[in-house]
Amino acid sequence: MDGTLIRTRRRTGKENRKNYSGKSKCHGLFVIALTDDRGRLLWVSAARPGRTSEITACRHDQLTAKLRAAGLGAIADLGFVGLDDSDPTPTRP
């Protein structure tokens, strides 16, 4: 699982500001891709504004819940640290 920024041309106007990635210092659209162990594409997210972070995009797509429901896990880079959204309901004594 990994996210990538697809570079686009800069358009004029305020609406394009959300497509600017401060991390990559360019305009683009952000997508998350999930592949199998051989590199074959299994799933790709909808394109999001370039300023979107990997962890935010996965949370919006509820990716961990979908993987868990399918009985699958995923290997990802450090951009996904803290993504585990399992319900650790705190117990009170």
Side-chain angles (χ1 to χ4, degrees):
M1 176 168 48
D2 200 9
T4 189
L5 184 74
I6 300 169
R7 295 180 77 158
T8 60
R9 293 185 134 200
R10 181 184 183 278
R11 296 180 303 186
T12 58
K14 285 185 175 182
E15 277 300 305
N16 195 45
R17 289 184 184 171
K18 63 185 174 187
N19 292 332
Y20 184 75
S21 169
K23 178 181 174 184
S24 299
K25 307 281 191 260
C26 63
H27 287 81
L29 297 172
F30 184 78
V31 295
I32 299 285
L34 183 63
T35 63
D36 66 6
D37 58 343
R38 295 184 181 210
R40 293 178 295 207
L41 184 64
L42 299 175
W43 178 83
V44 66
S45 70
R48 299 191 183 281
R51 69 180 180 190
T52 307
S53 69
E54 292 176 330
I55 199 165
T56 301
C58 284
R59 285 183 177 148
H60 281 286
D61 290 333
Q62 300 173 344
L63 192 54
T64 54
K66 291 175 183 174
L67 287 170
R68 196 174 298 112
L72 299 173
I75 297 173
D77 61 16
L78 292 176
F80 296 92
V81 170
L83 178 61
D84 184 20
D85 62 354
S86 58
D87 187 21
T89 307
T91 56
R92 295 188 178 185

